[in-house]
Every structure is written in C-alpha cells, then in structure tokens.
C-alpha cells in the first residue's frame, strides 16, 4: 500500500504477459517492446481489462490512448517512476484534441474491507481482484498504425478529508496520493516523497496488423531482445491424412506379399487382397480392382524376393 499501481491484464480476452525482469534496462521506449500486442485492422473494437492495487478506493480510473507519435510526447512515457502532477495536467490539456479518454469508472480494490474473501475451503485464500474494463474503437486506424494505451487512476481521496480543522492528515502515505504539492526529501537525500493525484500505468503498444490476422502478443521479457515470430502450426487436412493412411496400408500390403512369396506361399496374392479388405472395410477404394493385377503384383513381389536372396 506504499504506492498505487496499475496492471493491464488482457485485450480481447488475450492475457498479457506481465513480468518484471530484475536489472533489465528501462528507457523511454523500452516498454514499447516489453508490452506489445498486434491486432487485425478489421477487428473493430479492442476490449481492455485492468486491475489496480496499492490502495483501497478507486475514485476515478479511465483509459488514455492515441497515436504513438502523439503519446510519445507524454512526460510519463515508459518511466519507472510517476511524474509530477503539473506535467500530467499540462500534457493532457495541450494534447486533449488528439488523445482519447474513456468514461471514468470507480470501485474498490481487493484490499477494501467491503470486498468479500473466498470461502476458507477454497484453494485460493486471497481476496478477489476488482477488474475494470473499457472498450475502444479502432476502426479508424489502418494497417501499420501504432497506438499507445495508458490506464490512469486516482485513489483514496477521502483520506484527505479525515481529521478536523486543527489537525489535518500528517503522514506521507496520505499526502503522497492526495496532495500534488506535497514534497519531502530526507536529510541524506536518499529518500524522497512526491505527492500525486493521478497514477499512470506502464503503456501497452497496440500494433495494427493485416486484416483477419490473429491477435498476437509480441512482448519480450528484456528490451534488449528482439521478438521472434512463433513457428506456424503444421496442420493436415482430412484428405491428406486419409491419403497418408492409405499409402501406409499399401506399403504394409507390399511387404506382406514379398515375405509371403519368400516363404513359398502360393496363396499370397489371395491372402493379401483378403487382408487388405479387412484393414479397409469402409474405405472408398475399390478393392476389387486389386484382384485383376494381383498376378503382376505377385510376379513383382517374387522378383524382389529373389533380389533380396
């Protein structure tokens, strides 16, 4: 509860990889590689879900999004620390005509006293997460466009109203999330507390891909790495599978005929045809067609048997 935090969970039911790699570099553009999703140009809508922690009551939360070129000008970008509130307000005011914002929502986090806990008999003995969601229209974007999406939240504003006229809240915990003018630095300069109102998530980069393409996560764990496309799944049609099975049966049939002739079995041809009929009782192949050329098959089998000897 020291500081509020926001995690984007999924987009269009695709869960997003949320991982923190120790000692990995974090720059103004690193999150564009570690949180990246490709979506089809004709998907129409993008439905996002997120959760908020580090507080009790969510007074306001909404989704901010816009073209990558515009959103990269934001002071928060991929920064690992929150920026001063005046910079956030100035950016939103200056670029309000090109940055979109979904309607605000409110709720309670998993730590609120009114959130029910699971039954003691259940395996997951922890509070249930409160999930927030919003849907954005991406029909106006074309293949190759890139969007950056942020979640903004304001928490626990009622804390500033506790106390009376003679004794206002004194703790850093309260001022850090209710008073943007609050600033404190320890004597040795190693500890610093800056007040905020709005807390902003690490952004999700949304890449507009070809029409009818699959929703695909292109995140990497370390920004030094490059994303590698997964291998295409190898799929066989039902016709190809049937052809493969038939070819396998024919191969077994020929081997059986060769071995039978090698033993001097004069009824090998008839036995093979009968055996093949038993193996493919429901096959569309006309087994009777095999009876005509059986003698040539027997001769071929006999010749091959002699060569083997």
């Amino acid at each position: 509860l020291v500081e509020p935090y926001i995690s984007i969970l999924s987009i269009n039911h695709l869960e997003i990889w949320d991982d923190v790699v120790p000692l990995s570099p974090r720059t103004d553009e690193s999150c564009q590689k570690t949180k990246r999703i490709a979506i089809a140009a004709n998907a129409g809508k993008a439905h996002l879900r997120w959760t908020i922690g580090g507080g009790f009551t969510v007074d306001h939360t909404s989704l901010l999004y816009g073209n990558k070129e515009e959103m990269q000008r934001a002071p928060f970008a991929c920064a690992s620390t929150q920026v001063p509130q005046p910079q956030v307000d100035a950016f939103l005011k200056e670029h309000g005509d090109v940055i979109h914002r979904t309607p605000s929502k409110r709720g309670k986090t998993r730590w609120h006293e009114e959130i029910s806990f699971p039954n003691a008999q259940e395996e997951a003995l922890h509070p249930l997460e409160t999930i927030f969601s919003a849907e954005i229209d991406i029909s106006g974007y074309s293949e190759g466009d890139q969007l950056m999406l942020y979640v903004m939240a304001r928490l626990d504003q009622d804390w500033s109203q506790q106390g009376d006229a003679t004794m206002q809240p004194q703790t850093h915990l309260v001022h850090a999330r209710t008073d943007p003018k609050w600033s404190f630095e320890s004597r040795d300069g190693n500890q610093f507390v800056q007040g905020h109102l709005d807390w902003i998530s690490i952004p999700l980069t949304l890449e507009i891909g070809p029409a009818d393409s699959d929703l695909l996560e292109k995140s990497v764990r370390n920004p030094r790495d490059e994303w590698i496309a997964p291998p295409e799944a190898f799929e066989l049609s039902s016709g190809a599978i049937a052809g493969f099975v038939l070819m396998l049966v024919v191969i077994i049939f020929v081997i059986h005929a060769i071995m039978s002739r090698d033993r001097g079995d004069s009824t090998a041809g008839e036995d093979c045809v009968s055996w093949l009929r038993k193996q493919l009782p429901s096959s569309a192949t006309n087994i009777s067609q095999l009876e005509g050329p059986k003698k040539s098959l027997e001769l071929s089998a006999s010749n091959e048997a002699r060569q083997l000897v």
Side-chain angles (χ1 to χ4, degrees):
L1 297 176
V2 174
E3 181 176 288
Y5 57 90
I6 305 166
S7 298
I8 300 178
L9 302 177
S10 66
I11 177 170
N12 287 5
H13 306 293
L14 174 66
E15 294 186 3
I16 299 174
W17 192 2
D18 191 11
D19 192 13
V20 177
V21 181
L23 302 180
S24 63
R26 179 173 289 180
T27 65
D28 289 344
E29 298 183 358
S30 61
C31 61
Q32 296 178 29
K33 297 178 66 177
T34 57
K35 287 190 178 296
R36 190 178 189 89
I37 297 290
I39 190 171
N42 58 346
K45 303 286 186 179
H47 184 84
L48 280 90
R49 300 165 64 248
W50 66 91
T51 186
I52 302 173
F56 295 96
T57 302
V58 179
D59 298 280
H60 306 284
T61 183
S62 59
L63 185 67
L64 300 177
Y65 67 99
N67 281 320
K68 175 182 173 181
E69 292 75 14
E70 297 293 340
M71 298 302 289
Q72 277 186 316
R73 301 177 184 179
F76 26 90
C78 294
S80 58
T81 57
Q82 301 290 323
V83 299
Q85 188 69 35
Q87 295 184 30
V88 176
D89 295 338
F91 173 78
L92 296 178
K93 182 178 180 180
E94 181 179 355
H95 300 276
D97 56 335
V98 293
I99 294 178
H100 306 280
R101 187 168 187 171
T102 61
S104 178
K105 295 187 176 183
R106 59 187 305 159
K108 300 176 176 64
T109 73
R110 60 184 293 182
W111 306 115
H112 197 280
E113 62 182 358
E114 295 180 6
I115 298 297
S116 60
F117 279 70
N119 187 288
Q121 302 301 319
E122 296 181 8
E123 294 183 3
L125 298 179
H126 57 76
L128 302 177
E129 293 281 2
T130 300
I131 307 298
F132 300 89
S133 64
E135 190 173 72
I136 64 175
D137 184 5
I138 60 172
S139 59
Y141 298 96
S142 304
E143 181 180 347
D145 289 344
Q146 296 185 53
L147 288 72
M148 295 188 72
L149 300 86
Y150 294 83
V151 175
M152 180 178 290
R154 186 175 295 190
L155 290 79
D156 300 324
Q157 295 304 294
D158 59 320
W159 288 6
S160 63
Q161 302 171 5
Q162 298 179 13
D164 52 40
T166 59
M167 181 61 70
Q168 296 297 318
Q170 302 294 311
T171 65
H172 292 309
L173 182 65
V174 173
H175 285 290
R177 65 192 66 197
T178 61
D179 185 2
K181 297 181 180 180
W182 183 264
S183 180
F184 172 82
E185 184 176 357
S186 63
R187 293 181 180 180
D188 57 9
N190 294 327
Q191 296 177 328
F192 185 79
V193 179
Q194 174 63 56
H196 299 275
L197 288 177
D198 295 315
W199 301 82
I200 303 172
S201 71
I202 297 295
L204 171 67
T205 300
L206 191 62
E207 173 186 319
I208 308 299
D212 300 323
S213 59
D214 294 332
L215 186 64
L216 179 64
E217 181 167 9
K218 302 177 71 173
S219 307
V220 295
R221 295 188 71 241
N222 194 312
R224 297 191 183 98
D225 300 332
E226 295 297 330
W227 180 77
I228 301 176
E232 295 184 2
F234 181 72
E235 297 182 358
L236 288 175
S237 63
S238 57
I241 295 175
F244 175 78
V245 172
L246 181 60
M247 180 181 66
L248 183 61
V249 170
V250 171
I251 292 174
I252 296 175
F253 171 81
V254 172
I255 295 175
H256 179 70
I258 293 173
M259 296 179 65
S260 298
R261 291 297 298 174
D262 190 42
R263 293 195 302 267
D265 188 354
S266 59
T267 62
E270 290 81 357
D271 290 346
C272 289
V273 173
S274 301
W275 176 82
L276 185 57
R277 281 175 173 164
K278 293 179 181 179
Q279 301 305 313
L280 297 174
S282 60
S283 173
T285 304
N286 188 355
I287 302 300
S288 63
Q289 295 178 358
L290 296 174
E291 297 181 353
K294 69 178 181 180
K295 292 186 177 180
S296 61
L297 178 61
E298 293 173 7
L299 179 59
S300 175
S302 176
N303 291 336
E304 292 198 26
R306 293 193 186 98
Q307 293 176 4
L308 291 174
V309 175

mmCIF file of all heavy atoms in Angstrom, residues 186-215:
data_model
loop_
_atom_site.group_PDB
_atom_site.id
_atom_site.type_symbol
_atom_site.label_atom_id
_atom_site.label_comp_id
_atom_site.label_asym_id
_atom_site.label_seq_id
_atom_site.Cartn_x
_atom_site.Cartn_y
_atom_site.Cartn_z
ATOM 1 N N SER A 186 14.612 13.370 2.429
ATOM 2 C CA SER A 186 15.340 13.100 3.671
ATOM 3 C C SER A 186 16.640 13.889 3.711
ATOM 4 O O SER A 186 17.125 14.388 2.686
ATOM 5 C CB SER A 186 15.638 11.597 3.787
ATOM 6 O OG SER A 186 16.483 11.180 2.722
ATOM 7 N N ARG A 187 17.217 13.985 4.886
ATOM 8 C CA ARG A 187 18.433 14.781 5.058
ATOM 9 C C ARG A 187 19.603 14.248 4.243
ATOM 10 O O ARG A 187 20.424 15.014 3.744
ATOM 11 C CB ARG A 187 18.812 14.827 6.547
ATOM 12 C CG ARG A 187 17.814 15.599 7.405
ATOM 13 C CD ARG A 187 18.253 15.618 8.862
ATOM 14 N NE ARG A 187 17.307 16.360 9.695
ATOM 15 C CZ ARG A 187 17.437 16.527 10.994
ATOM 16 N NH1 ARG A 187 18.493 15.960 11.645
ATOM 17 N NH2 ARG A 187 16.544 17.214 11.686
ATOM 18 N N ASP A 188 19.667 12.925 4.119
ATOM 19 C CA ASP A 188 20.776 12.355 3.356
ATOM 20 C C ASP A 188 20.486 12.308 1.852
ATOM 21 O O ASP A 188 21.331 11.913 1.052
ATOM 22 C CB ASP A 188 21.115 10.947 3.846
ATOM 23 C CG ASP A 188 19.906 10.010 3.786
ATOM 24 O OD1 ASP A 188 18.867 10.399 3.206
ATOM 25 O OD2 ASP A 188 20.002 8.889 4.319
ATOM 26 N N GLY A 189 19.275 12.713 1.460
ATOM 27 C CA GLY A 189 18.921 12.757 0.053
ATOM 28 C C GLY A 189 18.611 11.419 -0.578
ATOM 29 O O GLY A 189 18.419 11.325 -1.800
ATOM 30 N N ASN A 190 18.525 10.374 0.241
ATOM 31 C CA ASN A 190 18.269 9.037 -0.303
ATOM 32 C C ASN A 190 16.795 8.672 -0.344
ATOM 33 O O ASN A 190 16.422 7.683 -0.964
ATOM 34 C CB ASN A 190 19.015 7.984 0.522
ATOM 35 C CG ASN A 190 20.524 8.123 0.387
ATOM 36 O OD1 ASN A 190 21.016 8.514 -0.676
ATOM 37 N ND2 ASN A 190 21.240 7.821 1.464
ATOM 38 N N GLN A 191 15.973 9.461 0.333
ATOM 39 C CA GLN A 191 14.540 9.177 0.358
ATOM 40 C C GLN A 191 13.779 10.423 -0.068
ATOM 41 O O GLN A 191 14.089 11.544 0.368
ATOM 42 C CB GLN A 191 14.104 8.730 1.756
ATOM 43 C CG GLN A 191 14.750 7.412 2.194
ATOM 44 C CD GLN A 191 14.356 7.026 3.596
ATOM 45 O OE1 GLN A 191 14.133 7.881 4.450
ATOM 46 N NE2 GLN A 191 14.292 5.735 3.857
ATOM 47 N N PHE A 192 12.772 10.176 -0.934
ATOM 48 C CA PHE A 192 12.051 11.308 -1.499
ATOM 49 C C PHE A 192 10.583 10.927 -1.647
ATOM 50 O O PHE A 192 10.265 9.822 -2.106
ATOM 51 C CB PHE A 192 12.642 11.673 -2.865
ATOM 52 C CG PHE A 192 12.053 12.909 -3.480
ATOM 53 C CD1 PHE A 192 12.454 14.167 -3.072
ATOM 54 C CD2 PHE A 192 11.080 12.804 -4.463
ATOM 55 C CE1 PHE A 192 11.907 15.303 -3.643
ATOM 56 C CE2 PHE A 192 10.527 13.950 -5.026
ATOM 57 C CZ PHE A 192 10.940 15.190 -4.625
ATOM 58 N N VAL A 193 9.692 11.805 -1.253
ATOM 59 C CA VAL A 193 8.253 11.583 -1.376
ATOM 60 C C VAL A 193 7.655 12.754 -2.147
ATOM 61 O O VAL A 193 7.819 13.914 -1.756
ATOM 62 C CB VAL A 193 7.563 11.461 -0.008
ATOM 63 C CG1 VAL A 193 6.056 11.250 -0.193
ATOM 64 C CG2 VAL A 193 8.161 10.322 0.794
ATOM 65 N N GLN A 194 6.981 12.432 -3.250
ATOM 66 C CA GLN A 194 6.320 13.442 -4.063
ATOM 67 C C GLN A 194 4.837 13.115 -4.156
ATOM 68 O O GLN A 194 4.464 11.990 -4.491
ATOM 69 C CB GLN A 194 6.924 13.495 -5.471
ATOM 70 C CG GLN A 194 6.213 14.417 -6.434
ATOM 71 C CD GLN A 194 6.266 15.877 -5.973
ATOM 72 O OE1 GLN A 194 7.354 16.415 -5.747
ATOM 73 N NE2 GLN A 194 5.107 16.506 -5.828
ATOM 74 N N GLY A 195 4.000 14.068 -3.837
ATOM 75 C CA GLY A 195 2.562 13.843 -3.888
ATOM 76 C C GLY A 195 2.018 13.789 -5.308
ATOM 77 O O GLY A 195 2.535 14.458 -6.216
ATOM 78 N N HIS A 196 0.983 12.983 -5.500
ATOM 79 C CA HIS A 196 0.310 12.846 -6.795
ATOM 80 C C HIS A 196 -1.188 12.762 -6.580
ATOM 81 O O HIS A 196 -1.664 12.452 -5.486
ATOM 82 C CB HIS A 196 0.756 11.571 -7.517
ATOM 83 C CG HIS A 196 2.219 11.514 -7.821
ATOM 84 N ND1 HIS A 196 2.770 12.073 -8.942
ATOM 85 C CD2 HIS A 196 3.249 10.945 -7.145
ATOM 86 C CE1 HIS A 196 4.078 11.858 -8.953
ATOM 87 N NE2 HIS A 196 4.386 11.180 -7.869
ATOM 88 N N LEU A 197 -1.906 13.000 -7.657
ATOM 89 C CA LEU A 197 -3.327 12.687 -7.688
ATOM 90 C C LEU A 197 -3.586 11.512 -8.618
ATOM 91 O O LEU A 197 -4.262 10.557 -8.261
ATOM 92 C CB LEU A 197 -4.139 13.907 -8.140
ATOM 93 C CG LEU A 197 -4.261 15.066 -7.150
ATOM 94 C CD1 LEU A 197 -5.032 16.219 -7.771
ATOM 95 C CD2 LEU A 197 -4.932 14.607 -5.858
ATOM 96 N N ASP A 198 -3.027 11.600 -9.823
ATOM 97 C CA ASP A 198 -3.237 10.562 -10.824
ATOM 98 C C ASP A 198 -2.023 9.646 -10.925
ATOM 99 O O ASP A 198 -0.886 10.115 -10.985
ATOM 100 C CB ASP A 198 -3.512 11.199 -12.197
ATOM 101 C CG ASP A 198 -4.808 11.988 -12.205
ATOM 102 O OD1 ASP A 198 -5.820 11.474 -11.687
ATOM 103 O OD2 ASP A 198 -4.811 13.121 -12.718
ATOM 104 N N TRP A 199 -2.299 8.356 -10.962
ATOM 105 C CA TRP A 199 -1.256 7.347 -11.117
ATOM 106 C C TRP A 199 -1.442 6.692 -12.482
ATOM 107 O O TRP A 199 -2.570 6.375 -12.885
ATOM 108 C CB TRP A 199 -1.343 6.314 -9.990
ATOM 109 C CG TRP A 199 -1.203 6.974 -8.650
ATOM 110 C CD1 TRP A 199 -2.180 7.600 -7.936
ATOM 111 C CD2 TRP A 199 -0.007 7.117 -7.892
ATOM 112 N NE1 TRP A 199 -1.667 8.111 -6.766
ATOM 113 C CE2 TRP A 199 -0.331 7.828 -6.713
ATOM 114 C CE3 TRP A 199 1.307 6.696 -8.080
ATOM 115 C CZ2 TRP A 199 0.602 8.142 -5.734
ATOM 116 C CZ3 TRP A 199 2.239 6.999 -7.103
ATOM 117 C CH2 TRP A 199 1.895 7.717 -5.949
ATOM 118 N N ILE A 200 -0.350 6.487 -13.172
ATOM 119 C CA ILE A 200 -0.412 6.070 -14.573
ATOM 120 C C ILE A 200 0.337 4.759 -14.762
ATOM 121 O O ILE A 200 1.421 4.563 -14.212
ATOM 122 C CB ILE A 200 0.174 7.170 -15.478
ATOM 123 C CG1 ILE A 200 -0.592 8.477 -15.253
ATOM 124 C CG2 ILE A 200 0.104 6.763 -16.952
ATOM 125 C CD1 ILE A 200 0.006 9.669 -15.949
ATOM 126 N N SER A 201 -0.242 3.886 -15.560
ATOM 127 C CA SER A 201 0.333 2.567 -15.796
ATOM 128 C C SER A 201 1.460 2.629 -16.822
ATOM 129 O O SER A 201 1.620 3.619 -17.554
ATOM 130 C CB SER A 201 -0.743 1.613 -16.316
ATOM 131 O OG SER A 201 -1.102 1.957 -17.655
ATOM 132 N N ILE A 202 2.240 1.549 -16.882
ATOM 133 C CA ILE A 202 3.149 1.344 -17.997
ATOM 134 C C ILE A 202 2.283 1.152 -19.241
ATOM 135 O O ILE A 202 1.307 0.399 -19.205
ATOM 136 C CB ILE A 202 4.043 0.108 -17.771
ATOM 137 C CG1 ILE A 202 4.932 0.321 -16.549
ATOM 138 C CG2 ILE A 202 4.883 -0.189 -19.013
ATOM 139 C CD1 ILE A 202 5.946 1.428 -16.701
ATOM 140 N N PRO A 203 2.578 1.787 -20.357
ATOM 141 C CA PRO A 203 1.674 1.721 -21.511
ATOM 142 C C PRO A 203 1.727 0.392 -22.256
ATOM 143 O O PRO A 203 2.713 -0.339 -22.183
ATOM 144 C CB PRO A 203 2.183 2.855 -22.407
ATOM 145 C CG PRO A 203 3.635 2.950 -22.082
ATOM 146 C CD PRO A 203 3.734 2.663 -20.608
ATOM 147 N N LEU A 204 0.655 0.129 -22.958
ATOM 148 C CA LEU A 204 0.571 -1.006 -23.871
ATOM 149 C C LEU A 204 0.598 -0.460 -25.289
ATOM 150 O O LEU A 204 -0.190 0.423 -25.638
ATOM 151 C CB LEU A 204 -0.726 -1.780 -23.628
ATOM 152 C CG LEU A 204 -1.071 -2.866 -24.655
ATOM 153 C CD1 LEU A 204 -0.066 -4.005 -24.582
ATOM 154 C CD2 LEU A 204 -2.482 -3.381 -24.442
ATOM 155 N N THR A 205 1.519 -0.962 -26.100
ATOM 156 C CA THR A 205 1.593 -0.564 -27.509
ATOM 157 C C THR A 205 0.736 -1.507 -28.327
ATOM 158 O O THR A 205 0.894 -2.727 -28.265
ATOM 159 C CB THR A 205 3.041 -0.594 -28.021
ATOM 160 O OG1 THR A 205 3.827 0.319 -27.250
ATOM 161 C CG2 THR A 205 3.108 -0.184 -29.485
ATOM 162 N N LEU A 206 -0.193 -0.935 -29.088
ATOM 163 C CA LEU A 206 -1.110 -1.709 -29.906
ATOM 164 C C LEU A 206 -0.752 -1.498 -31.378
ATOM 165 O O LEU A 206 -0.855 -0.384 -31.906
ATOM 166 C CB LEU A 206 -2.556 -1.286 -29.640
ATOM 167 C CG LEU A 206 -3.657 -2.170 -30.214
ATOM 168 C CD1 LEU A 206 -3.573 -3.566 -29.616
ATOM 169 C CD2 LEU A 206 -5.029 -1.569 -29.923
ATOM 170 N N GLU A 207 -0.316 -2.553 -32.012
ATOM 171 C CA GLU A 207 0.126 -2.504 -33.407
ATOM 172 C C GLU A 207 -1.008 -2.995 -34.313
ATOM 173 O O GLU A 207 -1.517 -4.098 -34.131
ATOM 174 C CB GLU A 207 1.365 -3.377 -33.572
ATOM 175 C CG GLU A 207 1.852 -3.564 -34.983
ATOM 176 C CD GLU A 207 2.995 -4.564 -35.055
ATOM 177 O OE1 GLU A 207 3.885 -4.521 -34.168
ATOM 178 O OE2 GLU A 207 2.989 -5.410 -35.969
ATOM 179 N N ILE A 208 -1.409 -2.178 -35.279
ATOM 180 C CA ILE A 208 -2.479 -2.553 -36.198
ATOM 181 C C ILE A 208 -1.885 -3.413 -37.308
ATOM 182 O O ILE A 208 -1.053 -2.949 -38.093
ATOM 183 C CB ILE A 208 -3.177 -1.320 -36.789
ATOM 184 C CG1 ILE A 208 -3.627 -0.369 -35.662
ATOM 185 C CG2 ILE A 208 -4.363 -1.743 -37.641
ATOM 186 C CD1 ILE A 208 -4.613 -0.975 -34.699
ATOM 187 N N GLY A 209 -2.311 -4.671 -37.350
ATOM 188 C CA GLY A 209 -1.771 -5.616 -38.316
ATOM 189 C C GLY A 209 -2.686 -5.814 -39.511
ATOM 190 O O GLY A 209 -3.699 -5.114 -39.666
ATOM 191 N N PRO A 210 -2.377 -6.771 -40.382
ATOM 192 C CA PRO A 210 -3.205 -7.037 -41.563
ATOM 193 C C PRO A 210 -4.620 -7.463 -41.175
ATOM 194 O O PRO A 210 -4.857 -7.980 -40.086
ATOM 195 C CB PRO A 210 -2.458 -8.181 -42.270
ATOM 196 C CG PRO A 210 -1.059 -8.121 -41.733
ATOM 197 C CD PRO A 210 -1.183 -7.636 -40.333
ATOM 198 N N ALA A 211 -5.555 -7.236 -42.081
ATOM 199 C CA ALA A 211 -6.932 -7.660 -41.845
ATOM 200 C C ALA A 211 -6.990 -9.170 -41.661
ATOM 201 O O ALA A 211 -6.249 -9.923 -42.301
ATOM 202 C CB ALA A 211 -7.818 -7.232 -43.013
ATOM 203 N N ASP A 212 -7.864 -9.597 -40.750
ATOM 204 C CA ASP A 212 -8.106 -11.018 -40.458
ATOM 205 C C ASP A 212 -6.910 -11.730 -39.824
ATOM 206 O O ASP A 212 -6.909 -12.956 -39.715
ATOM 207 C CB ASP A 212 -8.523 -11.779 -41.730
ATOM 208 C CG ASP A 212 -9.805 -11.234 -42.346
ATOM 209 O OD1 ASP A 212 -10.701 -10.854 -41.577
ATOM 210 O OD2 ASP A 212 -9.897 -11.180 -43.595
ATOM 211 N N SER A 213 -5.879 -10.991 -39.423
ATOM 212 C CA SER A 213 -4.746 -11.621 -38.746
ATOM 213 C C SER A 213 -5.116 -11.937 -37.305
ATOM 214 O O SER A 213 -6.036 -11.349 -36.732
ATOM 215 C CB SER A 213 -3.516 -10.708 -38.783
ATOM 216 O OG SER A 213 -3.795 -9.459 -38.167
ATOM 217 N N ASP A 214 -4.403 -12.878 -36.711
ATOM 218 C CA ASP A 214 -4.680 -13.289 -35.337
ATOM 219 C C ASP A 214 -4.203 -12.228 -34.348
ATOM 220 O O ASP A 214 -3.228 -11.515 -34.597
ATOM 221 C CB ASP A 214 -3.988 -14.619 -35.037
ATOM 222 C CG ASP A 214 -4.560 -15.764 -35.845
ATOM 223 O OD1 ASP A 214 -5.749 -15.695 -36.211
ATOM 224 O OD2 ASP A 214 -3.814 -16.728 -36.121
ATOM 225 N N LEU A 215 -4.911 -12.174 -33.224
ATOM 226 C CA LEU A 215 -4.463 -11.343 -32.113
ATOM 227 C C LEU A 215 -3.208 -11.974 -31.529
ATOM 228 O O LEU A 215 -3.219 -13.147 -31.149
ATOM 229 C CB LEU A 215 -5.566 -11.244 -31.060
ATOM 230 C CG LEU A 215 -5.337 -10.292 -29.883
ATOM 231 C CD1 LEU A 215 -5.255 -8.848 -30.365
ATOM 232 C CD2 LEU A 215 -6.453 -10.434 -28.866
#
